[in-house]
Amino acid sequence: MVRVVAPFYLKPGMLDQFMETAAPLITETRKEAGCITYELAQSANDPQVLVMLEAWETQGALDTHVKSAHFTAIVPKLKALCTDNGAETALYTKLL
Amino acid sequence: MVRVVAPFYLKPGMLDQFMETAAPLITETRKEAGCITYELAQSANDPQVLVMLEAWETQGALDTHVKSAHFTAIVPKLKALCTDNGAETALYTKLL
């Protein structure tokens, strides 16, 4: 299983717009083959910090996801709502 | 739903011991009321970087978890296998 932790640091006041923009991405991604979990969550310490928490059955399923029409159309719009602080997506494989 | 992303930066050569020590913590935690997900994963970029990825039904369930006998006995042993670089546990609440 492949796990993704993808942070988003919002520009001020962009939470509602981010959620509205992300909603169809989440809906469509959850329909994809190999998608186990795809959730948007908010930091308990800083409401401007969001994270997409993902679980995929295989790396191939994740590779297909990042080429999908909904990903390529929506993710740039989400990034435009974020600060330019170089938040990095972290990729993990399940051990236990 | 409450989400936890808890990083662990291992001292060199400690992966096997970490997994052996963590195994009973994971087994017991998954039996707890309100535990949805409790997984240990390894960074795809750096095998010395691990993360516990957790989902809990409520903050109360998480509060109970960190007071449990298995948590209080085992987590200090896990931390002793890690570098002292101040890795911080991140707490999130699910938005979507």
Side-chain angles (χ1 to χ4, degrees):
Chain A
M1 191 194 296
V2 177
R3 287 280 198 164
V4 178
V5 177
F8 296 91
Y9 297 93
L10 297 181
K11 292 175 185 167
M14 290 299 170
L15 178 60
D16 289 350
Q17 192 174 341
F18 189 98
M19 288 178 66
E20 187 178 321
T21 306
L25 170 65
I26 293 169
T27 301
E28 291 306 309
T29 298
R30 287 177 179 162
K31 296 175 186 172
E32 287 185 64
C35 179
I36 299 166
T37 303
Y38 198 79
E39 289 180 4
L40 182 66
Q42 182 177 39
S43 168
N45 294 323
D46 183 347
Q48 297 296 110
V49 176
L50 305 185
V51 66
M52 199 75 85
L53 297 164
E54 313 176 21
W56 296 88
E57 288 178 4
T58 63
Q59 181 65 48
L62 176 58
D63 293 344
T64 299
H65 165 63
V66 300
K67 294 178 203 155
S68 69
H70 46 273
F71 184 97
T72 57
I74 295 173
V75 170
K77 294 179 186 172
L78 296 176
K79 289 190 175 171
L81 303 174
C82 294
T83 62
D84 187 25
N85 69 353
E88 282 192 16
T89 295
L91 183 68
Y92 301 94
T93 51
K94 182 177 174 181
L95 289 178
L96 291 175
Chain B
M1 191 194 298
V2 177
R3 286 281 198 165
V4 178
V5 178
F8 295 92
Y9 297 92
L10 297 181
K11 292 175 186 168
M14 289 299 170
L15 178 60
D16 288 351
Q17 192 175 340
F18 190 99
M19 288 177 66
E20 187 177 321
T21 306
L25 170 65
I26 293 170
T27 301
E28 291 306 309
T29 298
R30 287 178 179 161
K31 296 176 187 172
E32 288 186 63
C35 179
I36 299 166
T37 304
Y38 199 80
E39 289 180 4
L40 182 66
Q42 183 177 37
S43 168
N45 295 322
D46 183 347
Q48 296 296 111
V49 176
L50 305 185
V51 65
M52 200 74 87
L53 297 164
E54 313 177 21
W56 295 88
E57 288 178 5
T58 62
Q59 181 65 48
L62 176 58
D63 293 343
T64 299
H65 165 64
V66 300
K67 293 179 203 155
S68 68
H70 45 274
F71 184 96
T72 57
I74 295 173
V75 170
K77 293 179 185 172
L78 296 177
K79 290 190 173 169
L81 303 175
C82 294
T83 62
D84 187 25
N85 69 353
E88 282 192 16
T89 295
L91 184 67
Y92 300 95
T93 51
K94 182 177 173 180
L95 290 178
L96 291 174

